[in-house]
Amino acid sequence: MLPELPEGRVLEVVRAPAHVLSAPSPEVDPLDPAVVQLAADLLATQRVSPGCVGLAAPQVGVAARVFSLDVTGHPKARTVHGPVVLVNAEVLVASRWEKGREGCMSVPDLTGDVKRAGRLRVAGLVPGTGERLEVETDAFEARAFQHEIDHCAGLLFLDRVAGAHALHQRRTYL
């Protein structure tokens, strides 16, 4: 599912309230060499970050609709597509809404209860080829896709919690 990518660099993850996290990112060209390098960098940064299952370009300070995702080995995952990088992704179909706990590297001290679709179909473009890819998934992987697509739209999970009662101090740091 992954295209041929250059060697990725580990980038610094920015934290809220960095402006790039709250502004919608522009669509980008999946064939642009800078976008292909960004895709590789996101994967490299995600892989060295304990507990990280996804990382969007705004989280490394880049306003672009690009994210990486890999829920392999996560105990809450049912469907697993392995490492995925998508450009300009969008939700096509969402159903079976349920509340679940989320955290984020850009909001390291809090978790929150967020209602997300438990079944999902998303589409995006593959960096380097521009090929359109559709993914159908469920459960934890569906939640992770929505979390990363939200980052590209300038939203944090904090924007989706029902209120202060749904925010929690993080108890475990990986």
Side-chain angles (χ1 to χ4, degrees), residues 85-168:
V85 183
L86 288 179
V87 175
N88 305 331
E90 62 180 335
V91 173
L92 300 176
V93 179
S95 63
R96 297 191 185 173
W97 296 83
E98 54 194 34
K99 196 176 349 175
R101 185 70 55 93
E102 292 185 18
C104 180
M105 290 177 62
S106 294
V107 187
D109 297 327
L110 296 172
T111 62
D113 299 326
V114 178
K115 196 170 186 178
R116 302 264 193 202
R119 293 191 56 87
L120 192 72
R121 183 164 20 127
V122 300
L125 304 174
V126 177
T129 68
E131 175 186 336
R132 179 180 161 88
L133 177 67
E134 284 193 23
V135 177
E136 284 194 45
T137 190
D138 61 14
F140 186 74
E141 191 177 64
R143 178 170 295 277
F145 269 103
Q146 291 164 90
H147 183 105
E148 301 311 326
I149 290 171
D150 270 359
H151 272 301
C152 294
L155 298 171
L156 296 171
F157 76 88
L158 300 173
D159 298 306
R160 300 258 187 216
V161 295
H165 66 281
L167 279 177
H168 311 277

Side-chain angles (χ1 to χ4, degrees), residues 35-84:
V35 171
V36 175
Q37 181 63 56
L38 175 62
D41 295 346
L42 290 170
L43 277 171
T45 304
Q46 179 184 335
R47 287 179 174 144
V48 301
S49 304
C52 180
V53 297
L55 192 63
Q59 291 183 274
V60 295
V62 179
R65 290 187 180 264
V66 182
F67 67 84
S68 64
L69 189 145
D70 185 2
V71 300
T72 302
H74 194 283
K76 292 181 181 176
R78 280 198 306 244
T79 300
V80 176
H81 286 87
V84 176

